[in-house]
Structure formats: C-alpha cells, structure tokens
Amino acid sequence: QVRLVESGGGLVQAGGSLRLSCAASGSFSGINAMGWYRQAPEKQRELVATITSIGNTNYADSVKGRFTISRDNAKNTVYLQMNSLKPEDTAVYYCNAGVRRWGTVADAWGQGTLVTVSS
C-alpha cells in the first residue's frame, strides 16, 4: 500500500505565501514524476506543477513565476512553494505520484489540503 500525506495548507491573505509538503510512504521501489493538482469549488481538477525524478519541472501558466515545485528523493517528498498568492488560487491541493511497484507504475493521490486566499 502507498500513502501520500499532504500538509501546509491554510488561510493566507492575498500576496502572502504558503509551502505545501507531500510525503510518500509504504511499499514501493521508487517514484517517477510527482506533482500538485488543485480543485476549486465547482471546477474540475487542474494541474498546477509537476517534477520528474531528475528535477525537470512543468507549471500551469497561471502559476508560473509565483509557484516553485521541488522534491527530496531521499525523503520521497515533494514541495510546492507558493508566493504572491491570489484569491483565485483558493482550492483543495492534491499531491500525485507515479509510484513504481512490482514492475508497474501506479498513480497515487493524497487526500488533499485546503488553501484559502482572502482578498
């Protein structure tokens, strides 16, 4: 079983910063890409940022220049540093990881952490 646990969400004023963390635990041989997605009320889940196992990153246009994704492979942890937050960044943020187990890659998701940005 693989478990992803997010932390770091909360309430912040517009212009502020938050740092999300997501740690993977359980039985697996390694992790491919990791990423963050978000879902605002009554909207579909959307990609925020991804990072490969060697550190190549990809960002949604809406967060480029404000958010930074990083990972610590030794700790099986991915981070999302969010700066210059806007009210439209309010959403539940989900961690995702491509976890290698038994010769296959399984898609794992965290339970989500709520980020609320007040104007």
PDB file of all heavy atoms in Angstrom, residues 53-69:
ATOM      1  N   SER A  53      11.725  12.724 -11.805  1.00  0.00           N
ATOM      2  CA  SER A  53      12.666  12.195 -10.822  1.00  0.00           C
ATOM      3  C   SER A  53      14.042  12.859 -10.916  1.00  0.00           C
ATOM      4  O   SER A  53      14.806  12.837  -9.956  1.00  0.00           O
ATOM      5  CB  SER A  53      12.825  10.676 -10.992  1.00  0.00           C
ATOM      6  OG  SER A  53      13.267  10.380 -12.303  1.00  0.00           O
ATOM      7  N   ILE A  54      14.337  13.473 -12.072  1.00  0.00           N
ATOM      8  CA  ILE A  54      15.626  14.149 -12.219  1.00  0.00           C
ATOM      9  C   ILE A  54      15.485  15.664 -12.139  1.00  0.00           C
ATOM     10  O   ILE A  54      16.429  16.392 -12.411  1.00  0.00           O
ATOM     11  CB  ILE A  54      16.329  13.753 -13.533  1.00  0.00           C
ATOM     12  CG1 ILE A  54      15.470  14.093 -14.748  1.00  0.00           C
ATOM     13  CG2 ILE A  54      16.695  12.268 -13.510  1.00  0.00           C
ATOM     14  CD1 ILE A  54      16.193  13.913 -16.071  1.00  0.00           C
ATOM     15  N   GLY A  55      14.295  16.131 -11.770  1.00  0.00           N
ATOM     16  CA  GLY A  55      14.135  17.546 -11.478  1.00  0.00           C
ATOM     17  C   GLY A  55      13.613  18.435 -12.589  1.00  0.00           C
ATOM     18  O   GLY A  55      13.581  19.659 -12.425  1.00  0.00           O
ATOM     19  N   ASN A  56      13.179  17.848 -13.695  1.00  0.00           N
ATOM     20  CA  ASN A  56      12.571  18.674 -14.733  1.00  0.00           C
ATOM     21  C   ASN A  56      11.172  19.078 -14.295  1.00  0.00           C
ATOM     22  O   ASN A  56      10.406  18.244 -13.819  1.00  0.00           O
ATOM     23  CB  ASN A  56      12.503  17.912 -16.054  1.00  0.00           C
ATOM     24  CG  ASN A  56      13.888  17.605 -16.600  1.00  0.00           C
ATOM     25  OD1 ASN A  56      14.795  18.413 -16.496  1.00  0.00           O
ATOM     26  ND2 ASN A  56      14.056  16.434 -17.183  1.00  0.00           N
ATOM     27  N   THR A  57      10.850  20.343 -14.469  1.00  0.00           N
ATOM     28  CA  THR A  57       9.589  20.867 -13.955  1.00  0.00           C
ATOM     29  C   THR A  57       8.680  21.392 -15.060  1.00  0.00           C
ATOM     30  O   THR A  57       9.128  21.740 -16.156  1.00  0.00           O
ATOM     31  CB  THR A  57       9.843  22.012 -12.957  1.00  0.00           C
ATOM     32  OG1 THR A  57      10.588  23.051 -13.613  1.00  0.00           O
ATOM     33  CG2 THR A  57      10.625  21.518 -11.758  1.00  0.00           C
ATOM     34  N   ASN A  58       7.400  21.432 -14.727  1.00  0.00           N
ATOM     35  CA  ASN A  58       6.380  21.954 -15.639  1.00  0.00           C
ATOM     36  C   ASN A  58       5.337  22.668 -14.789  1.00  0.00           C
ATOM     37  O   ASN A  58       4.974  22.170 -13.714  1.00  0.00           O
ATOM     38  CB  ASN A  58       5.734  20.808 -16.425  1.00  0.00           C
ATOM     39  CG  ASN A  58       4.661  21.290 -17.359  1.00  0.00           C
ATOM     40  OD1 ASN A  58       4.907  22.165 -18.183  1.00  0.00           O
ATOM     41  ND2 ASN A  58       3.460  20.753 -17.233  1.00  0.00           N
ATOM     42  N   TYR A  59       4.877  23.843 -15.259  1.00  0.00           N
ATOM     43  CA  TYR A  59       3.928  24.638 -14.490  1.00  0.00           C
ATOM     44  C   TYR A  59       2.733  25.046 -15.338  1.00  0.00           C
ATOM     45  O   TYR A  59       2.850  25.290 -16.541  1.00  0.00           O
ATOM     46  CB  TYR A  59       4.589  25.917 -13.972  1.00  0.00           C
ATOM     47  CG  TYR A  59       5.705  25.700 -12.981  1.00  0.00           C
ATOM     48  CD1 TYR A  59       7.025  25.591 -13.407  1.00  0.00           C
ATOM     49  CD2 TYR A  59       5.436  25.592 -11.619  1.00  0.00           C
ATOM     50  CE1 TYR A  59       8.046  25.392 -12.502  1.00  0.00           C
ATOM     51  CE2 TYR A  59       6.453  25.392 -10.697  1.00  0.00           C
ATOM     52  CZ  TYR A  59       7.762  25.292 -11.146  1.00  0.00           C
ATOM     53  OH  TYR A  59       8.776  25.085 -10.241  1.00  0.00           O
ATOM     54  N   ALA A  60       1.605  25.182 -14.686  1.00  0.00           N
ATOM     55  CA  ALA A  60       0.455  25.808 -15.332  1.00  0.00           C
ATOM     56  C   ALA A  60       0.788  27.278 -15.550  1.00  0.00           C
ATOM     57  O   ALA A  60       1.488  27.900 -14.738  1.00  0.00           O
ATOM     58  CB  ALA A  60      -0.782  25.679 -14.450  1.00  0.00           C
ATOM     59  N   ASP A  61       0.280  27.836 -16.644  1.00  0.00           N
ATOM     60  CA  ASP A  61       0.570  29.238 -16.954  1.00  0.00           C
ATOM     61  C   ASP A  61       0.142  30.166 -15.821  1.00  0.00           C
ATOM     62  O   ASP A  61       0.790  31.176 -15.548  1.00  0.00           O
ATOM     63  CB  ASP A  61      -0.138  29.652 -18.244  1.00  0.00           C
ATOM     64  CG  ASP A  61       0.501  29.030 -19.483  1.00  0.00           C
ATOM     65  OD1 ASP A  61       1.659  28.570 -19.385  1.00  0.00           O
ATOM     66  OD2 ASP A  61      -0.156  29.009 -20.533  1.00  0.00           O
ATOM     67  N   SER A  62      -0.935  29.799 -15.133  1.00  0.00           N
ATOM     68  CA  SER A  62      -1.494  30.670 -14.101  1.00  0.00           C
ATOM     69  C   SER A  62      -0.601  30.799 -12.871  1.00  0.00           C
ATOM     70  O   SER A  62      -0.784  31.712 -12.063  1.00  0.00           O
ATOM     71  CB  SER A  62      -2.874  30.159 -13.681  1.00  0.00           C
ATOM     72  OG  SER A  62      -2.776  28.844 -13.191  1.00  0.00           O
ATOM     73  N   VAL A  63       0.370  29.886 -12.710  1.00  0.00           N
ATOM     74  CA  VAL A  63       1.217  29.936 -11.517  1.00  0.00           C
ATOM     75  C   VAL A  63       2.681  30.182 -11.834  1.00  0.00           C
ATOM     76  O   VAL A  63       3.504  30.317 -10.913  1.00  0.00           O
ATOM     77  CB  VAL A  63       1.080  28.645 -10.684  1.00  0.00           C
ATOM     78  CG1 VAL A  63      -0.385  28.358 -10.369  1.00  0.00           C
ATOM     79  CG2 VAL A  63       1.730  27.453 -11.370  1.00  0.00           C
ATOM     80  N   LYS A  64       3.021  30.227 -13.104  1.00  0.00           N
ATOM     81  CA  LYS A  64       4.421  30.447 -13.481  1.00  0.00           C
ATOM     82  C   LYS A  64       4.941  31.750 -12.888  1.00  0.00           C
ATOM     83  O   LYS A  64       4.282  32.777 -12.934  1.00  0.00           O
ATOM     84  CB  LYS A  64       4.552  30.489 -15.009  1.00  0.00           C
ATOM     85  CG  LYS A  64       4.533  29.128 -15.667  1.00  0.00           C
ATOM     86  CD  LYS A  64       4.687  29.242 -17.173  1.00  0.00           C
ATOM     87  CE  LYS A  64       4.646  27.873 -17.832  1.00  0.00           C
ATOM     88  NZ  LYS A  64       4.692  27.954 -19.301  1.00  0.00           N
ATOM     89  N   GLY A  65       6.151  31.678 -12.322  1.00  0.00           N
ATOM     90  CA  GLY A  65       6.755  32.856 -11.713  1.00  0.00           C
ATOM     91  C   GLY A  65       6.335  33.088 -10.281  1.00  0.00           C
ATOM     92  O   GLY A  65       6.931  33.927  -9.590  1.00  0.00           O
ATOM     93  N   ARG A  66       5.305  32.370  -9.806  1.00  0.00           N
ATOM     94  CA  ARG A  66       4.842  32.547  -8.422  1.00  0.00           C
ATOM     95  C   ARG A  66       5.039  31.276  -7.595  1.00  0.00           C
ATOM     96  O   ARG A  66       5.317  31.352  -6.404  1.00  0.00           O
ATOM     97  CB  ARG A  66       3.355  32.924  -8.407  1.00  0.00           C
ATOM     98  CG  ARG A  66       3.037  34.218  -9.133  1.00  0.00           C
ATOM     99  CD  ARG A  66       1.575  34.624  -8.933  1.00  0.00           C
ATOM    100  NE  ARG A  66       0.632  33.651  -9.458  1.00  0.00           N
ATOM    101  CZ  ARG A  66      -0.296  33.048  -8.724  1.00  0.00           C
ATOM    102  NH1 ARG A  66      -0.409  33.308  -7.440  1.00  0.00           N
ATOM    103  NH2 ARG A  66      -1.138  32.184  -9.287  1.00  0.00           N
ATOM    104  N   PHE A  67       4.860  30.124  -8.217  1.00  0.00           N
ATOM    105  CA  PHE A  67       4.969  28.841  -7.512  1.00  0.00           C
ATOM    106  C   PHE A  67       6.250  28.131  -7.935  1.00  0.00           C
ATOM    107  O   PHE A  67       6.678  28.239  -9.086  1.00  0.00           O
ATOM    108  CB  PHE A  67       3.800  27.939  -7.842  1.00  0.00           C
ATOM    109  CG  PHE A  67       2.471  28.383  -7.300  1.00  0.00           C
ATOM    110  CD1 PHE A  67       2.289  29.625  -6.712  1.00  0.00           C
ATOM    111  CD2 PHE A  67       1.372  27.535  -7.379  1.00  0.00           C
ATOM    112  CE1 PHE A  67       1.070  30.023  -6.211  1.00  0.00           C
ATOM    113  CE2 PHE A  67       0.135  27.913  -6.881  1.00  0.00           C
ATOM    114  CZ  PHE A  67      -0.010  29.167  -6.308  1.00  0.00           C
ATOM    115  N   THR A  68       6.830  27.379  -7.004  1.00  0.00           N
ATOM    116  CA  THR A  68       8.015  26.582  -7.292  1.00  0.00           C
ATOM    117  C   THR A  68       7.829  25.181  -6.721  1.00  0.00           C
ATOM    118  O   THR A  68       7.553  25.029  -5.534  1.00  0.00           O
ATOM    119  CB  THR A  68       9.275  27.206  -6.692  1.00  0.00           C
ATOM    120  OG1 THR A  68       9.445  28.531  -7.201  1.00  0.00           O
ATOM    121  CG2 THR A  68      10.504  26.374  -7.045  1.00  0.00           C
ATOM    122  N   ILE A  69       7.973  24.181  -7.581  1.00  0.00           N
ATOM    123  CA  ILE A  69       7.890  22.797  -7.146  1.00  0.00           C
ATOM    124  C   ILE A  69       9.302  22.253  -6.976  1.00  0.00           C
ATOM    125  O   ILE A  69      10.215  22.581  -7.763  1.00  0.00           O
ATOM    126  CB  ILE A  69       7.084  21.941  -8.150  1.00  0.00           C
ATOM    127  CG1 ILE A  69       6.810  20.550  -7.560  1.00  0.00           C
ATOM    128  CG2 ILE A  69       7.765  21.863  -9.503  1.00  0.00           C
ATOM    129  CD1 ILE A  69       5.818  19.722  -8.390  1.00  0.00           C
TER     130      ILE A  69
END
